Amino acid sequence: MSNRAGGIFINNGELERNNLINSTVRRIDYPTLRDAISDWDILSGETLPVAFDFSEAPLRWKKAL
């Protein structure tokens, strides 16, 4: 679940946007890496709304402390 906080998929999205990775590879949880990036990369413009909740969670936790 920690990779859904944005970091991993933001990095993968940047690599994909610059044609530095093959995003057609298959995943267990998504048909392809491209599908996962489009859902969870908060910079992609195609992100699931829930991805923004995960990306903001660390900030909310810090305020709660």
Side-chain angles (χ1 to χ4, degrees):
M1 186 73 84
S2 64
N3 66 346
R4 292 191 176 167
I8 299 294
F9 286 114
I10 288 174
N11 291 337
N12 285 340
E14 283 296 316
L15 292 171
E16 183 191 33
R17 284 186 281 281
N18 290 290
N19 297 316
L20 297 173
I21 61 171
N22 177 4
S23 61
T24 63
V25 296
R26 294 177 188 245
R27 288 179 53 104
I28 291 174
D29 56 347
Y30 280 88
T32 65
L33 178 58
R34 173 68 202 125
D35 294 328
I37 290 171
S38 69
D39 279 356
W40 294 102
D41 173 12
I42 61 174
L43 301 177
S44 74
E46 305 171 17
T47 310
L48 293 174
V50 71
F52 292 99
D53 294 338
F54 282 106
S55 70
E56 294 172 358
L59 296 175
R60 285 191 221 136
W61 293 337
K62 196 175 215 179
K63 290 178 185 176
L65 297 175

